[in-house]
Amino acid sequence: MKQTALVTGATAGFGKAIAHRLVHDGYRVIATGRRQERLDALAAELGPDLLPFRLDMDDAAAIAALPGSLPEGWCDVDVLVNNAGLALGMEKAQDADIANWQTMISTNVTGMVELTRVLLPGMVARDRGHVVTLGSTAGTYPYTGGNVYGATKAFVRQFTRNLRCDLLGHNVRVTNLEPGLCGGSEFSQVRLRDDAKAAAVYEGTKPLLPTDIAETVAWVLSLPRHVNINEIEMMPVCQAAGGLAVARGMKD
């Protein structure tokens, strides 16, 4: 029987590419997101092995009800890809909009842990499963304006590490993928709310693409059942972690 994967944030970018790749690899995919018309278009494109399922990661009640809301035959989720997430703003902490912080925490942290908690007992009971979560190099390397976004991704890393401890003795795998500079998605448009500024982020670079992330997810899932890839940090060749910053000319 085909395995069932649930991919959050599947209406664009990483999630859409991952859904495409997993259907190609023989999975049945539950594709979730807020934009129903995009989910329907994805289902029309990929056929009966893709189930469009509208889900807002800020809606705790909908997340809690998800297992009982899935159609018959789709309830046993073998793979959870926690992809949904966003960054909002590049202001320094002292100038940031607190509403942006709350939205990032709600989506990147709260929604992600709630959905994981809902699906994990079934994986444990069946003694099979894989949780793949999209973190970020921002969770490791600080940068100006990264404040709460980076903090949410640091949470993702530590959460997945602790899941591995809790799941010891069960055949349920957990992987955290931490991409660096990635183009080909709506990430920068959402963050900067300005198409020209978003385009400038990638000017003169060859960033990672959603298909690169999907390829990595597919590889992690394809490994033998006894192999767990804990973490993968990935960057394009044009990117590296920067050195420490020094402010010069400061007053005593």
Side-chain angles (χ1 to χ4, degrees):
M1 291 182 61
K2 292 186 176 184
Q3 292 192 68
T4 300
L6 189 150
V7 180
T8 65
T11 56
F14 296 176
K16 183 177 180 180
I18 293 166
H20 268 268
R21 179 55 188 264
L22 294 187
V23 169
H24 176 270
D25 286 354
Y27 287 83
R28 299 191 313 161
V29 175
I30 304 165
T32 78
R34 292 179 298 176
R35 292 173 286 191
Q36 186 66 52
E37 70 284 355
R38 292 199 179 190
L39 294 174
D40 291 340
L42 193 60
E45 184 178 359
L46 295 178
D49 281 335
L50 186 127
L51 174 69
F53 191 92
R54 189 181 184 282
L55 182 68
D56 188 336
M57 296 300 289
D58 289 335
D59 189 339
I63 291 173
L66 183 139
S69 303
L70 294 170
E72 185 178 354
W74 290 84
C75 299
D76 292 345
V77 175
D78 301 290
V79 175
L80 168 62
V81 181
N82 281 316
N83 165 71
L86 77 168
L88 293 172
M90 283 290 293
E91 297 83 9
K92 294 181 180 179
Q94 61 269 31
D95 301 316
D97 183 343
I98 193 72
N100 285 344
W101 283 7
Q102 291 167 337
T103 299
M104 286 186 280
I105 293 168
S106 177
T107 304
N108 301 357
V109 174
T110 307
M112 182 271 295
V113 300
E114 288 174 349
L115 183 58
T116 303
R117 177 62 182 83
V118 162
L119 295 179
L120 208 54
M123 294 183 182
V124 171
R126 294 185 296 274
D127 199 33
R128 70 175 190 272
H130 200 148
V131 178
V132 179
T133 300
L134 268 296
S136 170
T137 56
T140 302
Y141 307 107
Y143 57 88
T144 302
N147 42 71
V148 166
Y149 174 68
T152 64
K153 294 305 183 178
F155 179 97
V156 166
R157 185 196 316 114
Q158 197 62 20
F159 178 65
T160 55
R161 288 175 175 176
N162 279 280
L163 280 182
R164 282 292 304 129
C165 293
D166 291 343
L167 292 166
L168 189 64
H170 301 282
N171 287 303
V172 180
R173 301 186 289 178
V174 184
T175 302
N176 179 33
L177 301 185
E178 298 185 335
L181 183 69
C182 290
S185 74
E186 299 175 340
F187 179 83
S188 290
Q189 286 94 331
V190 171
R191 182 173 208 172
L192 302 175
R193 297 186 173 124
D194 185 303
D195 288 347
K197 289 181 179 179
V201 171
Y202 309 103
E203 188 174 337
T205 74
K206 188 171 183 179
L208 298 175
L209 296 173
T211 50
D212 299 319
I213 308 306
E215 174 75 18
T216 307
V217 171
W219 174 73
V220 165
L221 296 179
S222 73
L223 294 172
R225 191 181 183 191
H226 69 282
V227 178
N228 190 90
I229 302 299
N230 297 331
E231 297 173 355
I232 296 178
E233 179 183 289
M234 51 195 298
M235 293 182 180
V237 175
C238 66
Q239 185 182 33
L244 296 175
V246 176
R248 303 185 187 277
M250 292 181 65
K251 297 179 182 179
D252 292 337

